């Protein structure tokens, strides 16, 4: 009796080779089965729809807060007379020494603006590199103290100055004790929400208010030409800092990703909670624990709940551009800049979805806003004025 094995046509072949042929035959059958193909196509379509859903959702999660921040600045400038173009500031920021109220001037506002812009950009570069160095060396307590002090100044001193101007504008009867109590409660709640633990919406609201207050300070206390040069210069610097291999912001993001740590919430607006601190035992929930900097990060959020993030500096300079347009007393210019910034933000998010890496959010929006401002202010507005003067209607 020999060892020959007779195999019927189409029957599985024993042994490893036979099992491989069976698997191949099943794969061919499943690929040729129209029902399986339709199921696969349905899964792909469902996945694409899910990606589109969350993509549109994340876009709106950024457009809405950016719009609210810009609207807050616009309303303040239109209501509080201190920020109008006719109200000339008596004090400029200390890092813009070249101005018409200082002996240190070149005599030309354009030259003064360029020099001031270079000084401001140099300060930004130095401070950013210092922040990155602290983060690389894991000096978390120093960074927290730095950001805590900045938030303290914004939420207390700048809020007091803003509230004082609002009281004067509307001629409200309010004593200093009441103002102090209001500012104290407002500031303490903001410190707790940003640097410790609080509801997500409250944290987001305070971050938007801080951005709006900082934008109003820049609009009020920067020379006009200096402000425009700073907008252009900071957009170019943002492009370098994020995309350059040795850019400070890129190093910061890559270091945070390598350590699996979120960037500090006082610097970043997030559409979802970035990190909170347990009240009793100090255990981290959804991030790293600043009370124990050596503790490993915890990230228990699903990918769709991590949300999108935008730096507070982007909110500030978006609002500065729109707010400066609002001082021109022309709603056409304001609306044009408003939508130019939103369109630029949408384009940035579209490119982000394609390249899937950190991108600067300022360049497209800022340059689009400046172009729209110039075209509307110096071309469209004079044309509309002449048409209204001669009663020409289109």
């Amino acid at each position: 009796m020999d060892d020959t094995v007779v195999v019927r046509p189409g029957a599985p072949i024993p042994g490893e080779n036979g099992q491989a042929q069976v698997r191949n035959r099943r794969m061919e059958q499943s690929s040729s089965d129209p029902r399986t193909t339709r199921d696969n196509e349905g899964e792909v379509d469902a996945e694409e729809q899910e990606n589109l859903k969350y993509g549109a959702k994340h876009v709106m999660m950024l457009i809405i807060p950016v719009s609210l921040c810009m609207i807050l600045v616009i309303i303040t400038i239109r209501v509080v007379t201190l920020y109008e173009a006719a109200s000339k500031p008596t004090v400029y920021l200390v890092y813009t020494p070249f101005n018409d109220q200082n002996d240190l001037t070149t005599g030309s506002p354009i030259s003064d603006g360029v020099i001031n812009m270079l000084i401001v950009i140099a300060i930004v570069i130095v401070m950013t590199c210092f922040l990155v160095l602290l983060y690389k060396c894991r000096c978390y307590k120093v960074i927290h103290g730095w950001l805590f002090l900045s938030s303290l100044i914004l939420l207390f001193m700048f809020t007091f100055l803003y509230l004082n101007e609002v009281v004067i504008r509307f001629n409200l009867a309010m004593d200093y004790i009441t103002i102090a109590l209001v500012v104290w409660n407002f500031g303490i709640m903001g410190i707790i929400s940003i640097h410790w633990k609080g509801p997500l919406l409250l944290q987001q609201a305070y971050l938007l208010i801080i951005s709006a207050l900082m934008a109003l300070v820049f609009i009020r206390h920067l020379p006009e030409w200096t402000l425009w040069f700073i907008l252009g210069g900071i957009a170019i610097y943002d492009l370098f800092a994020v995309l350059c291999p040795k850019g400070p912001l890129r190093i910061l993001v890559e270091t945070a990703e390598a350590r699996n740590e979120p960037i500090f919430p006082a610097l970043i607006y997030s559409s979802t909670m970035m990190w909170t601190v347990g009240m009793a035992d100090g255990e981290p929930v959804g991030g790293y624990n600043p009370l124990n900097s050596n503790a490993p990060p915890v990230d228990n959020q699903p990918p769709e709940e991590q949300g999108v993030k935008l730096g507070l500096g982007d909110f500030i300079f978006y609002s500065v551009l729109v707010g400066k347009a609002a001082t021109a007393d022309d709603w056409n210019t304001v609306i044009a800049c408003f939508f130019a910034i939103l369109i630029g933000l949408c384009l940035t998010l579209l490119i982000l979805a394609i390249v899937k890496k950190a991108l600067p959010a300022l360049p497209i929006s800022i340059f689009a806003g400046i172009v729209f401002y110039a075209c509307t202010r110096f071309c469209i507005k004079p044309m509309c004025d002449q048409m209204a003067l001669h009663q020409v209607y289109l």
Side-chain angles (χ1 to χ4, degrees):
M1 184 176 179
D2 56 10
D3 296 332
T4 304
V5 179
V6 179
V7 181
R8 295 189 306 271
I13 302 174
E16 295 182 358
N17 294 333
Q19 293 177 1
Q21 293 182 18
V22 170
R23 287 195 299 268
N24 294 336
R25 188 176 298 125
R26 288 178 179 174
M27 293 176 61
E28 292 175 357
Q29 290 176 356
S30 62
S31 62
S32 61
D33 190 354
R35 290 178 298 179
T36 306
T37 304
R38 286 195 299 269
D39 293 341
N40 294 335
E41 292 178 354
E43 292 177 359
V44 172
D45 293 339
E47 184 178 355
E48 291 179 353
Q49 291 177 2
E50 193 75 6
N51 292 334
L52 181 62
K53 169 188 172 183
Y54 284 110
K57 178 182 177 182
H58 290 165
V59 169
M60 293 307 299
M61 283 181 175
L62 281 186
I63 287 181
I64 291 175
V66 168
S67 301
L68 290 176
C69 186
M70 293 191 295
I71 289 173
L72 178 60
V73 172
I74 292 171
I75 292 175
T76 301
I77 290 176
R78 301 301 300 171
V79 172
V80 181
T81 56
L82 179 69
Y83 299 99
E84 292 180 352
S87 178
K88 193 173 182 180
T90 57
V91 178
Y92 290 112
L93 296 179
V94 66
Y95 38 81
T96 56
F98 290 82
N99 54 70
D100 55 359
Q101 296 184 1
N102 197 338
D103 295 335
L104 191 63
T105 178
T106 62
S108 171
I110 297 178
S111 302
D112 291 346
V114 173
I115 297 175
N116 288 333
M117 181 267 293
L118 295 176
I119 295 174
V120 171
I121 297 298
I123 294 174
V124 170
I125 293 174
V126 171
M127 299 306 291
T128 306
C129 293
F130 181 60
L131 175 64
V132 173
L133 180 62
L134 291 176
Y135 190 75
K136 294 280 285 187
C137 297
R138 298 182 182 271
C139 300
Y140 295 137
K141 292 184 179 179
V142 178
I143 299 176
H144 278 294
W146 181 5
L147 298 178
F148 183 86
L149 181 61
S150 301
S151 301
L152 207 66
I153 295 174
L154 285 168
L155 290 174
F156 283 90
M157 187 177 73
F158 287 178
T159 301
F160 172 78
L161 296 175
Y162 178 81
L163 187 59
N164 185 54
E165 294 300 329
V166 172
V167 169
I168 294 174
R169 170 63 179 82
F170 292 100
N171 196 23
L172 301 176
M174 186 176 295
D175 57 275
Y176 281 106
I177 297 177
T178 304
I179 293 179
L181 289 175
V182 171
V183 172
W184 172 260
N185 286 278
F186 177 81
I188 290 298
M189 184 60 67
I191 292 295
I192 294 174
S193 300
I194 295 174
H195 293 278
W196 192 45
K197 184 177 183 179
L200 173 62
L201 289 178
L202 188 62
Q203 183 192 66
Q204 293 173 338
Y206 270 103
L207 292 176
L208 295 183
I209 292 173
I210 285 177
S211 301
L213 289 174
M214 198 68 225
L216 290 171
V217 170
F218 284 155
I219 294 172
R220 172 63 181 169
H221 297 288
L222 280 179
E224 184 172 2
W225 281 98
T226 299
L227 188 144
W228 289 111
F229 281 118
I230 287 177
L231 285 174
I234 206 71
I236 296 173
Y237 163 74
D238 195 31
L239 198 66
F240 158 78
V242 176
L243 297 182
C244 181
K246 297 299 182 181
L249 295 181
R250 180 167 182 173
I251 295 175
L252 180 64
V253 172
E254 290 178 349
T255 304
E257 290 177 352
R259 296 176 182 176
N260 195 21
E261 295 175 348
I263 301 177
F264 300 93
L267 297 174
I268 297 291
Y269 175 93
S270 176
S271 60
T272 55
M273 188 64 69
M274 296 184 63
W275 55 268
T276 54
V277 181
M279 297 179 62
D281 52 4
E283 292 182 357
V285 181
Y288 75 94
N289 187 352
L291 300 180
N292 183 10
S293 301
N294 296 323
V298 179
D299 192 0
N300 52 10
Q301 297 176 343
E304 64 270 18
E305 295 298 332
Q306 292 180 356
V308 287
K309 300 174 178 64
L310 188 66
L312 289 191
D314 302 323
F315 283 90
I316 293 172
F317 289 107
Y318 291 162
S319 302
V320 167
L321 177 56
V322 173
K324 193 60 182 178
T327 61
D329 198 18
D330 179 31
W331 281 107
N332 292 329
T333 306
V334 176
I335 294 173
C337 292
F338 186 91
F339 284 103
I341 288 174
L342 294 184
I343 292 172
L345 181 59
C346 291
L347 291 176
T348 303
L349 293 175
L350 178 62
I351 299 173
L352 177 65
I354 296 173
V355 301
K356 300 184 186 305
K357 66 177 182 178
L359 290 177
L362 283 180
I364 298 178
S365 295
I366 291 297
F367 286 121
I370 292 176
V371 171
F372 274 60
Y373 175 87
C375 293
T376 307
R377 178 79 187 277
F378 301 109
C379 297
I380 297 178
K381 184 179 183 298
M383 183 187 70
C384 292
D385 292 341
Q386 290 297 320
M387 291 175 62
L389 180 63
H390 295 88
Q391 297 183 355
V392 177
Y393 302 98
L394 297 179

